[in-house]
Amino acid sequence: MEPSEKNTLTKLLAQLNAAQRDAVEFCDGPSLVIAGAGSGKTRVLTYKIAYLLEQGLPPYYILALTFTNKAAKEMKSRVSDLVGEKKARQVWMGTFHSIFSRILRNEAESIGFDSNFTIFDASDSHNLVRLIIKDMKLDDKVYRPGSVHHCISMAKNSLITPAMYEQNAEIREYDRKIKQPLIFEIYRRYQERLRAANSMDFDDLLMFTNILFRDHPDILENYRNRFQYILVDEYQDTNFAQHLIVKQLAEVHHRVFVVGDDAQSIYSFRGANIDNILKFKSSYPEAQVFKLEQNYRSTQNIVNAANSLIKKNVGQISKNVFSKQEEGEKIEVISAFSDFEEGVIIANKIARMRVEDHVSYGNFAILYRTNAQSRIFEESLRKKNIPYRIYGGLSFYQRKEIKDIIGYFRLIINPQDEEAFRRIINYPARGIGDVTVNKISDAAQIHNTGMWEVLSDPLRYDLNVNSGTLKKLSDFRALIRHFIDQNEKLNAFELAQEVIKKTGIAGETYQDMTPEGMSRAENIQELLNAMNIFVAQRQEEGNDDIRLSDFLQEVSLLTDQDTDGNSDLERVTLMTVHSAKGLEFDHVFVAGLEEDLFPVAMAKNEMRGLEEERRLFYVAITRAKKTCTLTYAKSRFRNGRLSSTQKSRFLSDIDHTFLSSESDAIFVAHAEREDGFWGSLRRKREEDTVNRSQTPLYNFQNEKLSPVTQTSSGSLSKEADELCKGDIIEHERFGRGVVSEIESAGSDKRAFVDFDSVGRKQLLLKFAKFKIVK
DNA sequence: CACGCTCAGTTTTTT
DNA sequence: ACTGAGCGTG
């Protein structure tokens, strides 16, 4: 080993504690790291990758899997800091779903898919299930689409195909017991329809990866050889399908490094199997186990309180999480009269701490069990002019107007996509109603083909519609065909503009002067912006030909959780406890600690469910670094009704020595309540002002599409902002050029630059990597 | 076929 | 409270 390399290795290891170092240094076989909350889990993962790279393992031999894009992004940037961006970029780092969708697109033919397959999101899946239930003339009160889809999802996560499902006596017996004996049939049809639509749902991405590996040993062999080192974050959240993928890929080199905390397993509803981590040793008998027990995040009081809570669970890996930080303040429990008052109390407390303790807004988080609770905090914070940011809830890409446009995109890329077809065939209204759509659907099913095929050749499939309708259909077909042609020539952004214009969406939306209409128009504009930036950014990276399909692939696996949170130093964070996993804040409020809310009503009948809720509460408390405040309300609006509540049993699970004596809220806020007409009118107006102001509190921006947005707003853009016409610049990729024009559209300034080598290019100043020469 | 009205449900959490 | 599905009318 070269001396310099050795030096870097030593330096890397010197920044770790003994337990972390042991874990990083052990590279000869499978290893499991049990990482207590706040014990430096991400640190170990990133240093491990750096360590491997420094030892000379080529980056493209390393596979690092996470659950969220956010975690992947975080890891990427931290590895970048350690070993440089160039190497870090080559590591296969991403979520299970994104990595394996990439692999599936490469290998699509082997499993009978086209590589441009669509990825169905949860609501697409839900719709399809509902459609099938209707087709089968089943009662959707008995066969609730949501629960049926859940069953299907669980089956897929356990790698049970429709055929296996049908033959599995135990499952069938269970279905009979819950009076839904035909789920197997729905599952079968669902899977057929997905395939006919050249589409996969989220679960398919994992199931078909397994099918691919099962049926094509040569392909498996290829990836097995490539991935010499596999790292998995949040291993306690893996399901069987994920576990098996990892196991198979690790078969040759036997070098898996999984990190997790059984006490933070909170995704069983999604098929996560806590046994994967509890029984890691039986899957990999020669595995080494490392425990990280020192918590660097929180005060002793917080750690101890959390420990006392989690002790009430049975069946966990024993560990002794401890903190060497100061003892800190006790956890405060506050009761409020109502959910409304709970909001006011928290808002007041934040405002007070900001002034008295000089805490900036970004160091506060309000965590809750359900998204529905966010509304009340929005109100109370807004009233006190406290800036906040909500994560989760309806994501940008789930908004109707956005999904409609995405529907066009999907159909252009994959005309087999039935869900998209149905969504847009009559949007904007073009006189093709349900009757016609059903006829097309029936014809497609009879002839065992897709709806697009029927549309393409209505006569051949005996489509029984009148000539007027026929004309409308052929117009629609021509429209989509036109876009498909354009897709050959235009980039994603240009094509999107074309779609919005030619379909009449632009005309329709921009004319609508109602507040809702204007907000829709803004959202569409936002989408276009995002796409423009997406294209510009890729061009910066050296890809000139950015097609719609590239954008679509990115977007379908993106979620709200992926927005860049930590950049917002001046906003209070509002999110569900689930979303907060992996994050930390100085001051945390956990709200709604009431029976049937936290723990949620559904969970309390079963031991398993209750323990998961308790782990969830554990996750919530351990997000806090300095203070943690628990609140509950004695009454709460639920489903439009005011109901009285009981305080959560979890509060008494915490050892009282770590709690400050419970305080009833002193009278705070009854008078402030704005009920009735005037109240709601005023609220409405406030909303409007907020939405229209220059700095909206709730702002999607384009961050969700741009992994490097934040970094580029540093020193570069300050110079770039001052760029003028006539300046000469040196661009990282295009070389020398003269600025011929500056154009600013809102916050996005762009420059037209004539480059010596490549001619005129458009640069988005936000992203462009260049120096001003003169 | 589109639009507007009424009525019912609402299983948390998310890739 | 709110949304979305279903139904009747123009």
Side-chain angles (χ1 to χ4, degrees):
Chain A
M1 194 180 290
E2 296 293 314
S4 67
E5 274 179 31
K6 195 168 176 187
N7 195 16
T8 351
L9 287 181
T10 322
K11 238 163 64 191
L12 277 176
L13 293 173
Q15 297 171 47
L16 302 170
N17 70 24
Q20 294 171 333
R21 198 178 315 131
D22 289 345
V24 168
E25 276 185 304
F26 175 78
C27 292
D28 296 330
S31 42
L32 163 66
V33 178
I34 301 293
S39 64
K41 176 178 64 96
T42 313
R43 192 177 181 82
V44 166
L45 270 170
T46 50
Y47 276 69
K48 178 88 183 190
I49 294 173
Y51 184 78
L52 293 170
L53 291 171
E54 292 297 336
Q55 283 204 323
L57 185 66
Y60 39 84
Y61 287 158
I62 301 174
L63 173 65
L65 297 164
T66 63
F67 276 81
T68 62
N69 293 303
K70 191 181 193 173
K73 185 172 147 188
E74 165 84 12
M75 210 146 93
K76 240 178 229 173
S77 94
R78 285 173 68 168
V79 173
S80 263
D81 293 344
L82 293 175
V83 301
E85 200 202 330
K86 202 173 150 225
K87 266 192 189 168
R89 214 176 17 200
Q90 295 179 67
V91 178
W92 285 66
M93 223 181 294
T95 63
F96 272 95
H97 290 84
S98 69
I99 294 278
F100 294 109
S101 72
R102 208 158 111 197
I103 289 178
L104 283 172
R105 285 194 201 279
N106 287 336
E107 316 289 348
E109 281 167 37
S110 324
I111 47 167
F113 281 82
D114 203 290
S115 75
N116 58 15
F117 62 82
T118 304
I119 297 172
F120 271 32
D121 70 14
S123 76
D124 296 324
S125 300
H126 186 89
N127 286 342
L128 182 53
V129 170
R130 211 184 35 190
L131 220 58
I132 291 167
I133 289 170
K134 228 180 242 175
D135 276 357
M136 288 171 67
K137 309 222 158 35
L138 298 172
D139 182 354
D140 65 1
K141 304 240 166 26
V142 178
Y143 288 88
R144 306 252 288 299
S147 86
V148 173
H149 179 234
H150 185 247
C151 288
I152 293 174
S153 175
M154 287 307 217
K156 287 182 175 183
N157 288 329
S158 312
L159 300 179
I160 297 170
T161 60
M164 288 159 70
Y165 197 106
E166 183 169 359
Q167 281 154 26
N168 186 315
E170 202 182 328
I171 297 176
R172 295 291 299 284
E173 181 55 37
Y174 177 80
D175 286 351
R176 268 191 290 274
K177 219 181 260 165
I178 60 169
K179 302 272 186 282
Q180 290 165 266
L182 291 176
I183 291 180
F184 81 95
E185 171 76 10
I186 302 173
Y187 182 18
R188 208 197 73 223
R189 292 188 184 210
Y190 175 78
Q191 211 55 8
E192 282 170 6
R193 296 272 282 262
L194 272 172
R195 186 176 277 276
N198 187 33
S199 302
M200 294 196 194
D201 66 15
F202 284 136
D203 306 311
D204 281 340
L205 295 175
L206 304 175
M207 187 167 80
F208 277 113
T209 300
N210 276 292
I211 289 175
L212 175 76
F213 289 165
R214 183 195 65 193
D215 296 347
H216 301 272
D218 51 318
I219 293 174
L220 172 60
E221 203 56 30
N222 175 18
Y223 289 104
R224 245 181 203 172
N225 288 328
R226 166 161 331 152
F227 298 132
Q228 297 188 17
Y229 217 107
I230 302 171
L231 304 97
V232 187
D233 191 12
E234 309 278 15
Y235 196 71
Q236 77 281 355
D237 289 331
T238 50
N239 58 36
F240 181 65
Q242 290 163 323
H243 162 82
L244 196 61
I245 290 172
V246 171
K247 190 161 164 57
Q248 295 200 75
L249 286 176
E251 196 75 21
V252 170
H253 300 291
H254 267 250
R255 296 200 293 185
V256 275
F257 181 82
V258 310
V259 180
D261 179 5
D262 54 300
Q264 296 185 61
S265 159
I266 54 172
Y267 281 103
S268 73
F269 69 92
R270 199 167 88 184
N273 187 353
I274 195 169
D275 287 344
N276 288 343
I277 194 163
L278 295 179
K279 297 188 180 154
F280 187 77
K281 271 228 133 183
S282 40
S283 293
Y284 302 91
E286 76 275 39
Q288 290 277 323
V289 179
F290 302 93
K291 282 187 193 174
L292 309 182
E293 295 176 313
Q294 179 169 2
N295 175 309
Y296 291 95
R297 177 185 295 149
S298 318
T299 63
Q300 290 185 27
N301 251 315
I302 291 169
V303 170
N304 292 337
N307 284 344
S308 73
L309 168 81
I310 204 66
K311 252 201 241 132
K312 308 281 173 181
N313 275 6
V314 293
Q316 50 193 311
I317 298 174
S318 76
K319 53 183 145 345
N320 173 36
V321 182
F322 64 96
S323 164
K324 285 187 182 169
Q325 315 254 53
E326 55 179 358
E327 194 179 334
E329 287 174 42
K330 297 199 170 182
I331 292 185
E332 191 178 359
V333 180
I334 304 177
S335 71
F337 291 114
S338 63
D339 50 355
F340 173 80
E341 196 193 42
E342 181 185 45
V344 175
I345 290 169
I346 292 178
N348 285 346
K349 195 162 178 202
I350 288 175
R352 204 183 65 229
M353 286 174 75
R354 176 171 138 98
V355 174
E356 289 176 6
D357 308 331
H358 311 287
V359 181
S360 66
Y361 289 133
N363 294 324
F364 294 100
I366 304 175
L367 308 182
Y368 36 78
R369 181 69 238 284
T370 66
N371 280 308
Q373 288 164 261
S374 69
R375 187 146 262 207
I376 206 119
F377 296 113
E378 274 190 271
E379 264 178 57
S380 61
L381 293 173
R382 200 179 289 166
K383 213 168 292 169
K384 291 202 77 82
N385 279 320
I386 297 175
Y388 60 88
R389 180 151 178 167
I390 298 187
Y391 293 79
L394 203 54
S395 99
F396 182 69
Y397 290 99
Q398 284 169 345
R399 281 159 196 253
K400 213 181 297 164
E401 59 274 21
I402 302 302
K403 278 212 88 171
D404 288 334
I405 294 169
I406 301 272
Y408 277 95
F409 296 170
R410 280 167 54 167
L411 199 63
I412 292 164
I413 301 300
N414 173 21
Q416 314 308 319
D417 185 339
E418 194 186 312
E419 200 48 44
F421 184 99
R422 285 174 183 273
R423 180 161 199 113
I424 61 169
I425 187 163
N426 199 30
Y427 175 84
R430 50 175 70 87
I432 304 172
D434 288 348
V435 180
T436 309
V437 171
N438 285 335
K439 281 179 187 165
I440 297 174
S441 175
D442 291 346
Q445 298 218 12
I446 290 166
H447 294 91
N448 202 13
T449 182
M451 293 175 78
W452 175 255
E453 174 65 20
V454 174
L455 181 80
S456 300
D457 200 350
L459 299 179
R460 184 164 150 213
Y461 297 103
D462 308 316
L463 193 63
N464 179 26
V465 295
N466 63 38
S467 63
T469 306
L470 213 51
K471 172 75 167 62
K472 289 171 192 161
L473 289 178
S474 79
D475 285 349
F476 176 68
R477 186 179 65 226
L479 182 72
I480 300 297
R481 283 256 172 82
H482 166 75
F483 293 143
I484 292 173
D485 287 343
Q486 295 283 295
N487 188 31
E488 302 286 310
K489 302 172 205 110
L490 303 180
N491 71 33
F493 173 60
E494 293 161 340
L495 184 58
Q497 284 180 305
E498 179 82 359
V499 167
I500 288 165
K501 205 163 56 189
K502 279 263 163 53
T503 53
I505 293 175
E508 189 183 273
T509 333
Y510 294 136
Q511 268 170 30
D512 186 347
M513 284 305 156
T514 61
E516 299 81 42
M518 286 171 67
S519 138
R520 264 194 306 257
E522 276 171 26
N523 286 336
I524 292 173
Q525 203 49 54
E526 201 55 51
L527 175 69
L528 284 173
N529 262 337
M531 295 186 74
N532 193 8
I533 287 169
F534 179 84
V535 171
Q537 215 180 340
R538 303 296 137 132
Q539 285 175 347
E540 279 303 316
E541 286 164 11
N543 308 310
D544 274 328
D545 209 20
I546 302 305
R547 301 296 193 60
L548 192 61
S549 57
D550 297 310
F551 178 76
L552 211 50
Q553 279 171 35
E554 178 102 356
V555 146
S556 42
L557 288 172
L558 231 43
T559 68
D560 241 35
Q561 307 313 307
D562 305 324
T563 30
D564 196 325
N566 299 337
S567 66
D568 250 321
L569 294 175
E570 271 313 313
R571 283 162 207 272
V572 174
T573 297
L574 272 66
M575 55 169 60
T576 62
V577 182
H578 281 91
S579 310
K581 192 163 72 145
L583 306 179
E584 57 181 32
F585 303 89
D586 283 355
H587 306 283
V588 169
F589 297 86
V590 188
L593 281 158
E594 295 140 38
E595 284 294 299
D596 295 344
L597 184 61
F598 203 170
V600 83
M602 292 294 126
K604 70 176 179 187
N605 301 322
E606 257 187 293
M607 177 81 165
R608 273 180 73 96
L610 200 60
E611 294 211 337
E612 177 147 317
E613 291 289 303
R614 196 178 278 113
R615 288 193 295 268
L616 189 59
F617 188 32
Y618 175 82
V619 168
I621 294 174
T622 53
R623 297 312 92 198
K625 291 158 90 170
K626 295 179 180 157
T627 73
C628 181
T629 309
L630 311 176
T631 65
Y632 66 93
K634 288 171 178 161
S635 65
R636 178 176 296 278
F637 271 97
R638 282 186 101 172
N639 298 339
R641 298 216 137 273
L642 184 70
S643 50
S644 68
T645 59
Q646 274 190 303
K647 82 178 198 186
S648 171
R649 66 186 81 186
F650 289 160
L651 288 174
S652 44
D653 284 345
I654 302 176
D655 188 327
H656 284 60
T657 50
F658 308 118
L659 302 178
S660 74
S661 62
E662 187 172 326
S663 52
D664 259 337
I666 343 107
F667 170 80
V668 200
H670 278 77
E672 285 183 54
R673 177 147 213 165
E674 292 172 1
D675 262 326
F677 177 73
W678 293 108
S680 62
L681 185 71
R682 186 161 142 213
R683 269 199 292 282
K684 180 89 196 118
R685 240 193 263 129
E686 276 167 359
E687 263 165 44
D688 286 351
T689 14
V690 166
N691 289 338
R692 307 267 166 263
S693 70
Q694 317 81 319
T695 47
L697 293 180
Y698 185 44
N699 183 348
F700 308 100
Q701 275 309 337
N702 316 298
E703 291 154 323
K704 41 186 60 147
L705 299 162
S706 46
V708 299
T709 325
Q710 298 309 321
T711 54
S712 56
S713 60
S715 59
L716 272 180
S717 65
K718 265 205 194 72
E719 293 176 20
D721 261 358
E722 297 153 13
L723 196 69
C724 301
K725 194 171 162 177
D727 282 350
I728 296 170
I729 64 168
E730 181 75 30
H731 187 272
E732 199 179 84
R733 206 162 64 83
F734 302 136
R736 209 194 75 104
V738 182
V739 179
S740 72
E741 211 151 338
I742 298 275
E743 185 186 288
S744 54
S747 59
D748 304 322
K749 262 192 170 176
R750 74 196 83 159
F752 293 90
V753 182
D754 293 316
F755 286 103
D756 298 349
S757 52
V758 291
R760 173 170 283 218
K761 287 272 174 194
Q762 189 191 134
L763 300 181
L764 268 169
L765 297 190
K766 231 166 149 182
F767 300 120
K769 292 181 184 148
F770 62 86
K771 286 196 297 248
I772 302 177
V773 177
K774 194 240 83 148

